[in-house]
């Protein structure tokens, strides 16, 4: 289609109407947020970063995991082949050697230097696809079987919301999960390749993250890409990735590792207004953070989020801004860790704990490429991302291997690609 077709009255009118609707919604959301301005005054916190050449009493390790992949490497009849990659990096704050955020070699700790590359083959036959996804999960995620993370999720949720879910007999529940496994898992459609890649990518990321947690390295922070949003168990089926995420949080907590779900896109209505309030109150160069109160807060949620799962179940959400030029970021923490390590009835003690937490996160955010954003997930992203050239080479190599096995090339290339659409 020619670009000229877009510069028409129809396009302009539709975009104008769209932005009018967005502006109206923004005004409506701002009115809701105004009802909680007094609370926001108390939730917004300014802090001073650590000074240049600061030395921690004890340096610590920060791990981050990210994933990528190819949704359609090639396909044969009703079978599809995807490639998923996940990578971890581990940094030492290393202030006593004056080389902050030093990379840690992973060769002897995590296989393949912290890079996980897996081929996932699945069928459009739904029953076969379901078994293939389960097999993939059990092959990469460190666990006895899928019953284990499902039980972890349900147990944690029953502690978080005993009115919604109660476990009266754990042994009976274990047997029930084992015998009715498919009744607990929400599977994507085998015809939605992008959704499947997202599911497989999450499994790969959480698998690599758990390898880090189970290693002998004294990790302090584990940063994941994305929020800690999950489906609640019990009354509905739950994606496999959600079960693995809660199992990962539980295992990390037992090892005193702080799990952070860091989102580049915060999806929080009113966040820009909160940022404007912070700018007016603290100045444009200030480093600040703001907790988004949940239902467990004595005053409940902010009015603007009362009908939204913000914060998510079993998580505590903050937004923050560490640089005048950086966007607003969202970060989620495990609720049970937060209650033990951050929350305190003494507001001053709690404030000091939050300050320490965000000063340490800010310390990780001085890399020139991503100033104001903790650098470990940035390096993990670079490590796992497949360039266009690499994708083309891998696709060609996959087809070559198939040809060596007697499969015709013409049967592996999609009709769309053959005809150039």
């Amino acid at each position: 289609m020619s670009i000229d077709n877009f510069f028409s009255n129809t396009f302009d009118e539709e975009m104008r109407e769209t932005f009018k609707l967005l502006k109206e919604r923004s005004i409506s959301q701002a009115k809701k947020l105004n009802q909680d301005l007094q609370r926001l005054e108390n939730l917004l916190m300014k802090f001073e970063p650590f000074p240049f050449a600061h030395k921690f009493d004890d340096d610590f390790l920060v791990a981050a995991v990210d994933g990528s992949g190819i949704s359609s490497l090639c396909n044969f009849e009703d079978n599809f082949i995807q490639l998923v990659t996940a990578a971890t990096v581990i940094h030492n704050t290393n202030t006593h050697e004056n080389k902050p955020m030093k990379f840690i070699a992973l060769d002897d700790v995590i296989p393949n230097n912290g890079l996980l590359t897996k081929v996932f083959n699945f069928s459009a036959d739904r029953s076969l696809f379901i078994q293939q996804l389960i097999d993939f999960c059990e092959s990469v995620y460190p666990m006895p079987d899928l019953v284990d993370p499902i039980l972890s999720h349900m147990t944690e949720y029953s502690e978080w919301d005993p009115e919604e879910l109660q476990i009266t007999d754990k042994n009976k529940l274990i047997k029930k999960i084992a015998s009715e496994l498919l009744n607990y898992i929400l599977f994507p459609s085998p015809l939605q390749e992008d959704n499947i890649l997202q599911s497989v990518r999450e499994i790969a990321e959480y698998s690599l993250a758990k390898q880090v947690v189970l290693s002998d390295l004294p990790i302090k922070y584990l940063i994941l890409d994305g929020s800690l949003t999950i489906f609640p168990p019990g009354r509905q089926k739950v994606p496999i990735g959600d079960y693995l995420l809660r199992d990962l949080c539980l295992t990390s907590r037992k090892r005193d590792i702080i799990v952070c779900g860091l989102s580049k896109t915060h999806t929080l209505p009113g966040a820009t207004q909160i940022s404007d309030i912070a700018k007016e109150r603290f100045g444009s160069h200030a480093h600040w953070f703001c907790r988004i109160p949940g239902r467990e807060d004595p005053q409940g949620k902010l009015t603007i989020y009362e009908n939204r799962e913000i914060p998510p179940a079993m998580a505590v959400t903050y937004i923050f801004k560490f640089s005048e030029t950086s966007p607003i970021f969202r970060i989620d923490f495990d609720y049970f860790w937060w209650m033990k390590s951050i929350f305190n009835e003494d507001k001053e003690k709690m404030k000091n704990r939050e300050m320490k937490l965000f000063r340490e996160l800010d310390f990780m955010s001085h890399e020139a490429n991503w100033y104001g954003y903790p650098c470990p997930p940035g390096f993990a992203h670079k490590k796992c991302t497949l360039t266009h050239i690499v994708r083309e080479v891998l696709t060609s190599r996959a087809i070559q291997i198939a040809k060596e096995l007697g499969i015709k090339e013409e049967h592996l290339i999609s009709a769309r690609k053959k005809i150039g659409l």
Side-chain angles (χ1 to χ4, degrees), residues 230 319 385 394:
I230 48 93
I319 58 174
T385 300
L394 289 172

Side-chain angles (χ1 to χ4, degrees), residues 64-67 86-89 91 370 375-385:
V65 177
D66 198 8
T88 185
V89 294
H91 297 256
W370 312 289
C375 70
F379 284 112
H381 179 77
K382 286 186 68 175
K383 186 174 179 179
C384 73
T385 300

Side-chain angles (χ1 to χ4, degrees), residues 219-237:
I219 305 294
K220 181 172 183 178
Y221 289 94
L222 171 61
I223 304 177
L224 305 176
D225 178 43
S227 73
L228 299 188
T229 302
I230 48 93
F231 279 31
R235 295 187 180 181
Q236 61 182 336
K237 294 183 178 183

